[in-house]
Amino acid sequence: MNIVMVVDDEKSLRRLLKEALTEEHLEVYTAADGKEAIQMMEEVAPDLVLLDLILPDMNGIQILKRLRRRHPEVVVIIMTAFGEIRSAVEAMKNQAYDYLTKPFDIEELKLTIHRALEAINVKREYQRLRQIQEGQYRVDQILGESEATRQLRARVRQIAMSEAHTVLLLGESGTGKDLVAKGLHYDSPRRQFPLVELNCAAITETLFESELFGHEKGAFTDAKGMKKGLIETAHRGTLFLDEISEMSIGTQAKFLRFLQDRSFKRVGGIREIEVDVRIVAASNRDLEARVREGPFRQDLFYRLNVIPLRLTALRERREDIPVLAQHFLAQANVLFHKNIKGFTPAAEALLSSYHWPGNVRELKNVLERIVILGTTD
């Protein structure tokens, strides 16, 4: 239940608002002056404060500034008389969410409060999910005890904290390039900003440029409005381009120009837009062979190949298999409501001796199948 605090020196208004908002399934506290409000703020930690601008001991702007310093996450809605509009505007400059002019309609007030609380709850859910995602995709989640995996973890940490703007991930399908890309993002100072992902093989050439760079209204038949591209969306964060080898020759030229200048124009636009974004490109194909054969530009390969990371196939680091198998077993137990305790020596030996052409992804799929079909522990 969200908590609301009403700060107003009019007793009748405090009582009215408390009754009206309690009916909206909100927990409501009231304060008659600034001192009481500041003390109550520490005790009840409200999500939202309805704050009158004129109070007996201090004005609402003073209280608002104090709240912004000590509790920046709290939403404040100002209540003001018509003649105090200038002060209300000052309150908005000090990051009040909104203001209402007395006498106000109670239904309008309820709507404003619910809109503000919905924004708070969405923000909190986003932060919660981001914290979960950060925990799932930190470098420590690159599991394994082989020398190759230990070196990979160390290198990813080093690159993540660097100023590197371009990283190239190479390795067979299923080796965990997406996990490494997320580790590069979530273990870096960029983790507060977006991680944007695009599979270059999953989008047609005609749409690719618009998807990457965005477009202006009217740039083509279906361009009903301006749209930001993925590069712009990832500003200050990371753009992960999987299967970069499948990018068309035409798009490669435009993308190369962006990598050189770190600026671009939206499709149909004339303004150069500068961004700060880390590009993590990945390929399960031999890019040097693609260059020799012709489908991939040599100059783009050189531009991407500043910091290459090669991910070893699972069959080349067999000592990682028991660790990964136990991890995927635990995940599958939770996912499918089972309680399989572990592996017999024969089962572990079989897993460790298999070739694993699909690498870590194949191992995970096999473990899920075993858990789903298993009838013993």
Side-chain angles (χ1 to χ4, degrees), residues 200-201 208 243-248 252 284-285 290 296:
C200 298
F208 204 104
E243 299 194 58
I244 189 78
S245 60
E246 308 311 304
M247 185 182 284
S248 71
Q252 286 177 39
N284 58 14
R285 303 182 69 170
R290 296 280 285 172
F296 204 80

Side-chain angles (χ1 to χ4, degrees), residues 77-280:
I77 296 174
I78 296 295
M79 299 182 293
T80 178
F82 182 76
E84 300 158 2
I85 295 297
R86 185 175 295 179
S87 296
V89 172
E90 184 183 350
M92 297 298 288
K93 291 178 181 178
N94 282 278
Q95 299 178 326
Y97 176 82
D98 203 347
Y99 72 89
L100 295 168
T101 306
K102 295 179 180 178
F104 44 75
D105 180 75
I106 290 293
E107 294 306 315
E108 180 189 357
L109 173 67
K110 289 178 181 179
L111 183 62
T112 302
I113 288 174
H114 282 302
R115 192 165 55 232
L117 290 175
E118 184 177 345
I120 292 171
N121 294 333
V122 167
K123 184 178 179 181
R124 285 177 178 168
E125 179 64 9
Y126 168 75
Q127 290 172 338
R128 186 186 71 82
L129 292 174
R130 190 176 72 181
Q131 287 170 353
I132 292 171
Q133 195 169 40
E134 283 185 19
Q136 286 178 336
Y137 296 120
R138 300 298 288 264
V139 175
D140 290 341
Q141 295 303 307
I142 302 173
L143 300 176
E145 296 305 321
S146 67
E147 182 60 27
T149 301
R150 286 200 294 269
Q151 288 183 7
L152 177 65
R153 279 196 297 263
R155 184 61 59 86
V156 171
R157 285 194 185 95
Q158 182 183 8
I159 296 168
M161 295 305 296
S162 75
E163 295 296 319
H165 276 82
T166 311
V167 184
L168 180 61
L169 307 180
L170 301 168
E172 296 178 8
S173 291
T175 49
K177 295 184 290 296
D178 58 337
L179 184 62
V180 171
K182 289 169 181 172
L184 285 167
H185 178 75
Y186 288 114
D187 260 70
S188 79
R190 295 177 180 270
R191 63 180 170 269
Q192 300 298 326
F193 301 98
L195 168 64
V196 179
E197 303 177 51
L198 176 65
N199 187 316
C200 298
I203 189 166
T204 62
E205 181 179 353
T206 52
L207 292 175
F208 204 104
E209 188 180 352
S210 172
E211 195 71 17
L212 207 56
F213 300 114
H215 61 251
E216 297 291 350
K217 181 179 180 180
F220 47 86
T221 304
D222 293 327
K224 306 300 183 186
M226 187 277 286
K227 177 191 172 186
K228 288 185 178 181
L230 298 181
I231 289 176
E232 197 172 348
T233 303
H235 179 53
R236 300 182 72 185
T238 303
L239 175 63
F240 175 41
L241 296 173
D242 200 6
E243 299 194 58
I244 189 78
S245 60
E246 308 311 304
M247 185 182 284
S248 71
I249 284 287
T251 307
Q252 286 177 39
K254 296 181 177 71
F255 186 59
L256 175 62
R257 179 185 174 278
F258 163 72
L259 288 179
Q260 291 169 336
D261 300 340
R262 293 287 157 172
S263 66
F264 64 95
K265 295 176 184 175
R266 298 192 192 108
V267 176
I270 58 173
R271 182 171 65 92
E272 286 284 339
I273 300 170
E274 294 186 1
V275 291
D276 169 22
V277 61
R278 172 178 283 167
I279 302 295
V280 179

